[in-house]
Every structure is written in C-alpha cells, then in structure tokens.
Amino acid sequence: MQRLSTAQLLEAMEWRYATKKFDNTKKIDEVTWAALEKTLILTPSSYGAMPYKFVVVKSQDIKDQLTAASYGQTQVSDCSHHVVFLAKEKMDAEHLRKYIEQTAAVRGLKTEDLQGYEKMMVTNLVERMTPEQSFKWASNQAYIALGNFMTAAAVLGVDACPFEGINPAKYDEILGLVGSGWKTVCACPTGYRASDDKYATAKKVRFNANDLIIYK
Ligand SMILES: Cc1cc2nc3c(=O)[nH]c(=O)nc-3n(C[C@H](O)[C@H](O)[C@H](O)COP(=O)(O)O)c2cc1C
C-alpha cells in the first residue's frame, strides 16, 4: 500500500468541512464515485454483519423531495450524490445466514465450518437484543460507515456534509422503505462546494488536544 504522508492526511482533514452550499453544476465523475461506493462496501461493522444499506440518490426529483424532509437544507438538492444511511430495524437469523453463506463462498469454506460463529451471532444479535437495542446497534454501524465515507471523500477532494437534520420517517416514506425492515438513520450530501460557501474558509472550532485526548 502506498501511504499518504501525515501532512497529506492532515491537509485533507483540514480541507474538509461540513459543506453548506454545493455547486449544483458539478457532478462526481464515475471513477471517483465508484471508489467512494467501494468505501461504503468496505466499511467495517460489528461481527462483520453489515446491518445497513446505503441509498444513493442522484434523481433531482427525489433530492428535491428529500430537501423538504431535511428541514429545507439546500445541500440535498444541490449536491451530486445524496447518500442515505439505513439501519436494519431488527437483526434476524436470515440476514446472518446470508452473511455466513457469503463468508463461506468468499473464503472457500463450508457453511457447517461456520456453525459456531453463526450460532454465537444469533444468540448475541438476535436473541439477546431487544428491538430497540438491535436498531441502536445497527445505527451505530451505519454511523461508522458515515465517518469512513466522509474521510474517504475528503482524501479524494470530494465535499460532503454529515446530516442528522432530517426527518427519518419522511425519508422512509419518500424512499419507499416503510415496512421494508430498513430505516433511515442519517445522510450525507456529497459533491463539490460552491465557490461562495463562506463556511469553506471558516476556522475550525475544536477543543484543545488536552481537553479531548487522555493518555494513560
Ligand atoms: C452526525 C452529524 C450530524 C450533522 N448534521 C448536520 C446537518 O443536518 N446539517 C448541517 O449543515 N451540518 C450538520 N453537521 C455538521 C456539523 O455541524 C459539523 O461537522 C461541525 O460543526 C464541525 O464542523 P466541520 O465539519 O465543518 O469541521 C452534522 C455533523 C455530524 C457529525
């Protein structure tokens, strides 16, 4: 692997900001988007169980509807790709079976070899969790995907804005998710900053390292 230098990494982290205004004429090209999509797929999750899905909205009509479900935040209409992060409402044995089958196929194993792992996952993720705990756990995994995605976007020079200022129930309606077993958790409009977005040059507000980092 070719590594970024520490300076390159920090440059990307300083360059990124929660983009308030996108240039609606600029679209993410296919090659760049393919890499960002792969970042979503490669995100790590607890047990590797992937209790999430990602809806990528490019349709202007749907983006406009989602703007209304985002308290009018115009980043949604103006961005190139609006990514919506879904979490599984309640983990179930069927999903875990699919994961076991995928593991067996990818790693050249028999599903029987993975029986112990499957049973442990079913016990911990299906039987021992209330529906509320299960959705919270799945949502946490979706947020990890959001973090990963934003960092990857920054490294590629793509702008993004993490989004919780949304009405998830309305998103579910607009995206046809009601009753699907998947629910909206958060979102991330992605594209390129407008040249007059004054937030691009605003100084970052962060506590000092000694307020945030504890060494032992
Ligand atoms: C989970 C999460 C949800 C956020 N929701 C919104 C949002 O709905 N709209 C918005 O404009 N910014 C939103 N932000 C952006 C934050 O306000 C911003 O990241 C923070 O102030 C730090 O600024 P910076 O990202 O520009 O460095 C959100 C950030 C996070 C991490």
Side-chain angles (χ1 to χ4, degrees):
M1 185 189 79
Q2 209 185 343
R3 288 194 192 176
L4 291 183
S5 67
T6 53
Q8 284 171 321
L9 173 67
L10 293 180
E11 189 187 359
M13 295 298 92
E14 294 280 358
W15 174 86
R16 70 143 296 282
Y17 73 109
T19 304
K20 302 292 178 193
K21 193 172 175 194
F22 285 90
D23 180 338
N24 64 10
T25 66
K26 291 191 182 159
K27 302 292 173 205
I28 301 171
D29 68 69
E30 277 181 27
V31 173
T32 304
W33 177 255
L36 290 177
E37 181 184 289
K38 191 78 181 173
T39 301
L40 290 170
I41 293 166
L42 286 173
T43 200
S45 59
S46 173
Y47 294 85
M50 300 168 276
Y52 40 58
K53 282 186 192 282
F54 313 106
V55 183
V56 181
V57 183
K58 291 164 72 181
S59 148
Q60 192 59 48
D61 174 43
I62 301 175
K63 283 192 295 179
D64 291 344
Q65 291 180 53
L66 292 175
T67 297
S70 309
Y71 304 100
Q73 298 192 82
T74 55
Q75 293 104 311
V76 182
S77 286
D78 291 338
C79 73
S80 170
H81 293 53
H82 186 52
V83 186
V84 183
F85 293 74
L86 314 181
K88 192 163 171 60
E89 218 171 329
K90 173 83 181 80
M91 183 45 72
D92 53 44
E94 195 188 341
H95 180 97
L96 296 172
R97 173 101 290 240
K98 184 174 164 189
Y99 170 44
I100 288 292
E101 281 168 1
Q102 181 77 354
T103 306
V106 169
R107 297 199 169 151
L109 302 167
K110 295 197 182 89
T111 53
E112 301 86 78
D113 300 336
L114 299 163
Q115 248 173 11
Y117 189 53
E118 183 173 13
K119 193 169 178 313
M120 189 254 296
M121 285 195 295
V122 170
T123 303
N124 292 344
L125 302 175
V126 182
E127 294 166 3
R128 288 202 178 139
M129 281 196 196
T130 63
E132 292 74 26
Q133 286 170 332
S134 182
F135 182 63
K136 176 75 173 63
W137 168 80
S139 301
N140 290 345
Q141 314 311 312
Y143 273 97
I144 291 169
L146 169 68
N148 240 6
F149 177 74
M150 284 194 297
T151 301
V155 166
L156 292 182
V158 173
D159 286 299
C161 186
F163 245 44
E164 263 181 335
I166 62 175
N167 180 335
K170 273 261 169 264
Y171 263 59
D172 291 347
E173 263 175 46
I174 293 164
L175 297 173
L177 298 169
V178 178
S180 71
W182 299 91
K183 287 169 84 169
T184 299
V185 174
C186 56
C188 191
T190 309
Y192 295 98
R193 63 189 71 177
S195 57
D196 61 347
D197 185 358
K198 60 183 190 310
Y199 289 92
T201 49
K203 285 206 163 150
K204 288 220 173 291
V205 180
R206 300 292 192 266
F207 290 134
N208 293 328
N210 58 9
D211 284 325
L212 295 174
I213 316 279
I214 300 166
Y215 287 104
K216 294 280 186 197

